[in-house]
Structure formats: structure tokens, C-alpha cells
Amino acid sequence: MATEPMTAADLRSALERVRAEVRQGVDRATAADLEALRIRVLGRSGELTVLLRQLGSLDASERPAIGALANEVRREVEDAIAARTAALHSGDLEHRLTSERIDLTAPGLPVRVGHLHPTLTVERELREILHGFGFEVFEGPEIEDDWWNFEALNIPPDHPARDLWDTLYVAEPGSWEAGAPRPAEDGTILRTHTSPVQIRAMERLQQPPIYVIVPGRVYRRDASDPSHNPTFMQLEGLAVDEGLTVGDLKGTLTYMCQSLFGPERRIRMRPHNFSYTEPSFEFDSSCGICGGAGCRFCGGDGWLEIGGCGMVHPTVLRNGGIDPERYSGYAWGFGIERMAALKYNVPDIRYFYENDVRFLETF
Ligand code: DAH
């Protein structure tokens, strides 16, 4: 490499060339170009750096002027790079402001919101309707024993509901493991109806007037069919007050059904037998599809059964700590899925348990 020392004039023109070169290219430089330029001119072995090293070999009298020029060029290069960098950034900002503009007045994207399951919708509606009548919600356990589920309700020991084949008993500890399961000696079962909560409510609330409803899940050893399932929901109701009659029972339940199903629905009460009511009735609603004329949905009958009801048996009042000489009561226990099926004209309650969104989305 030529080591011929540069003269002051050589250095001066080399510095001016660097300056001209930078001035020329900087305006259109991209961020990457600027970085390359900085390294090529100002870097450790950059053009300007190399030229500055030559200063030492100049005559002392020439050094100040060339040194001053070199500093001037360096400052100009630095300033030009900084200015172009700033311009690029503000261009970026402008670009982003236009490309990322948000229109705050644009309508939002629709969000898919779910809704309550139809059985729950019906349960909530029933709460609402009966709340208007002064009934409050009272809840009880799903695991009961023989006393609460049967005995206290005046259900005799030989009643078929107590049969192993009708009721889900909890096994006596150890009997399952031993390969010979038998019902727990303390009679622990999954409740077969919400009626035991009648007794719990009377015991807890003590003084009539008592107006309670009990929504809840119940369990039976039922095979499932269009109107049965081993677990389902009931809405129990209990009113205890002075002078209540079958008229109050019928009026309340008629109002409840017509509020839920619509005023065109008729109701029917048929004599029945429950050991915890006297008299007892089965309660039917006219079919919503045929209006009572008879169709496939109601089996040609024109009526669909919702549940049972009656005037609370004096023994049951007494078991709840209420004086049957002074007070009377009425009670009912209706299936919520059956009521939902009646409201929405669903021919099979098993649809409610399948969780098929195509079915659920129709509500
Ligand atoms: N517990 C009955 C059942 O599950 C329904 C029922 C009938 C409830 C008469 C009542 C009643 O409160 O008074 O089939």
C-alpha cells in the first residue's frame, strides 16, 4: 500500500469529497443506508477517521486549518445523519397514524353471547311468577335419609316408592367392597322428590304464614323415556296458613300455569293418592300443540300431566311442628322439564339433557 504522506491540499480535497458525497446521498437514504454511511465515513476505519489520522504528518503550520475543516466536515456528516434519521422517524409516525387509524364511530363486532338452558329459564320464570304471590325460595339437601324423604311425609313402610328398585340408596359402608352391596342402615338416599323440604321449611320457619317454593334436582331409578329421566328438576311449593282451601291451591296453580304457558291453556285436576296430602290430585295442562283436541304430542288425550298436588295431610303438618287444628296447607310438586316441554312444545324431555347446541339455539 502506498505510504506516501498526503499533502495539505490532498487532505483538503479528500475532506471536501467526503462532504459532497454525504450531502448528495443523505436525503434519500433509508435507515439501513444511514447506518452503512455512518460506518463507512465515521466508523473506526471509516473514510473520515482515516483522513484524520493523516493530520499528524502535516506541517505544524498547516494543521490548524485542515483540523478545523476536518471537524467541520465530521459535524456536518453527523448532523446530516441525525436530521435524516429524525425525518425518517417522523415519516414512520405519519405512516402509522394513517395506516393504523381507528374509526371510533364504526359499529362493534357482534359478540356471540349464550343464554340460559331452557329448563333454567323456566325455573327462573316460575320463581318470578310465584315471588309475585309472596312465595320465597327455600332449599334442601339432595342427599336425604329415610325419615325426611318418606317417614316424615307419612309414606308408609310398605309404599312402593321405598322399593330398592325405585330409589337410589347409598350403600352401607364396606358392603360394596365386600361384593354384596346393601342400603345404608341409616337410610341415606338421593332424594326422590323435593317434598322432604316441606318438613324442613316448616321446622325452620316455625310460624305460619309459610309460603315457600323449592326448586331442585331429584333422583329416581327410572328408565329414561320421553317423559322420564333418572335425574330431573322439580318445583315444590308449600303454603301453610289459616283457612287455606283447595280453591287457593287451584287458583295459585292455574295462575302459575297460565303465566308460564299463556292464558289459553286450561288446567285439570284429577283425584289421586299421595300419603302426604288429603285430598290429592294429579295436575294436567291442556296440550299446547292441539289445544286439547288430541294429537300425537299428548298421546291423543289433549292433556299432559305436570305433577301432583293436594291439601297437606295433618300428620305432615304435625311432623313439621304445625298445629293442624289451627292451620291448613296446600302443596304441589311439578316437574320442571315437563313444564319446559309444555311451554316450548318439546316432544321428549331427553332433548334437554343432550346438550346439542342445534336444539339449544332454537330457544
Ligand atoms: N312428591 C310428588 C312426586 O314427586 C309430587 C307431589 C305430589 C308433591 C303432591 C306435593 C304434593 O307436594 O302435595 O311425584
Side-chain angles (χ1 to χ4, degrees):
M1 206 182 195
T3 52
E4 194 68 7
M6 293 176 90
T7 66
D10 290 343
L11 264 174
R12 187 179 293 275
S13 62
L15 285 168
E16 290 298 353
R17 215 181 324 108
V18 170
R19 179 180 357 224
E21 190 188 314
V22 170
R23 275 183 185 167
Q24 203 192 19
V26 81
D27 283 349
R28 285 178 312 279
T30 64
D33 294 340
L34 286 178
E35 180 57 10
L37 181 70
R38 192 188 60 75
I39 292 169
R40 197 179 79 230
V41 178
L42 302 172
R44 254 194 326 127
S45 38
E47 288 168 22
L48 204 57
T49 317
V50 170
L51 288 178
L52 283 170
R53 279 196 206 115
Q54 303 280 338
L55 274 179
S57 53
L58 287 185
D59 196 86
S61 64
E62 292 169 324
R63 256 182 246 156
I66 301 296
L69 176 65
N71 279 331
E72 194 186 306
V73 171
R74 188 225 295 269
R75 209 170 308 115
E76 192 178 321
V77 171
E78 285 170 350
D79 288 353
I81 290 177
R84 177 63 186 157
T85 304
L88 280 176
H89 281 172
S90 74
D92 269 3
L93 186 61
E94 251 160 59
H95 175 72
R96 286 179 53 196
L97 283 175
T98 32
S99 69
E100 298 174 14
R101 165 168 282 136
I102 300 170
D103 180 358
L104 295 176
T105 65
L109 293 176
V111 179
R112 270 171 60 99
V113 184
H115 59 76
L116 286 181
H117 191 276
T119 28
L120 259 188
T121 308
V122 165
E123 191 233 353
R124 298 280 162 95
E125 249 179 83
L126 288 166
R127 285 178 187 232
E128 199 66 26
I129 293 164
L130 288 148
H131 184 67
F133 262 10
F135 283 84
E136 60 176 314
V137 173
F138 196 95
E139 289 182 338
E142 291 180 19
I143 300 172
E144 285 285 15
D145 66 24
D146 193 82
W147 161 258
W148 295 102
N149 197 82
F150 298 124
E151 197 74 35
L153 290 164
N154 198 34
I155 298 175
D158 57 353
H159 194 282
R162 295 200 185 200
D163 200 299
L164 272 183
W165 297 105
D166 283 336
T167 301
L168 294 162
Y169 282 80
V170 173
E172 176 65 18
S175 70
W176 180 270
E177 294 82 343
R182 61 190 147 83
E185 264 149 36
D186 64 2
T188 307
I189 59 169
L190 296 179
R191 67 178 177 194
T192 62
H193 51 179
T194 41
S195 303
V197 190
Q198 290 188 26
I199 311 287
R200 293 182 179 275
M202 287 187 276
E203 277 196 359
R204 173 75 60 81
L205 303 172
Q206 293 205 342
Q207 269 315 303
I210 293 172
Y211 289 86
V212 291
I213 49 169
V214 184
R217 188 174 295 285
V218 301
Y219 303 84
R220 291 186 195 171
R221 283 197 59 166
D222 276 345
S224 71
D225 67 26
S227 53
H228 294 85
N229 199 61
T231 122
F232 60 100
M233 299 285 293
Q234 282 191 332
L235 185 95
E236 189 86 13
L238 171 72
V240 183
D241 209 338
E242 280 179 17
L244 293 179
T245 67
V246 174
D248 297 300
L249 167 67
K250 188 173 179 182
T252 304
L253 296 183
T254 305
Y255 177 83
M256 177 178 106
C257 286
Q258 292 186 340
S259 307
L260 185 67
F261 303 138
E264 70 289 347
R265 292 288 179 113
R266 282 164 300 129
I267 66 105
R268 178 174 83 168
M269 286 160 73
R270 289 177 285 123
H272 196 70
N273 173 52
F274 297 106
S275 35
Y276 34 102
T277 43
E278 182 60 38
S280 305
F281 309 94
E282 294 238 89
F283 192 95
D284 302 338
S285 156
S286 60
C287 174
I289 300 222
C290 62
C295 66
R296 271 178 48 203
F297 183 54
C298 56
D301 196 26
W303 297 94
L304 289 149
E305 186 200 318
I306 310 180
C309 59
M311 299 306 291
V312 183
H313 195 286
T315 304
V316 173
L317 288 176
R318 228 175 274 117
N319 287 340
I322 307 276
D323 176 8
E325 298 298 324
R326 178 160 175 213
Y327 297 106
S328 58
Y330 62 82
W332 75 89
F334 288 1
I336 295 181
E337 287 87 341
R338 281 196 189 177
M339 286 194 272
L342 271 164
K343 180 179 169 81
Y344 301 120
N345 296 318
V346 173
D348 190 325
I349 63 164
R350 288 172 294 189
Y351 284 123
F352 292 127
Y353 307 116
E354 283 171 355
N355 267 343
D356 184 333
V357 282
R358 288 168 304 178
F359 170 73
L360 295 174
E361 276 176 349
T362 62
F363 293 90

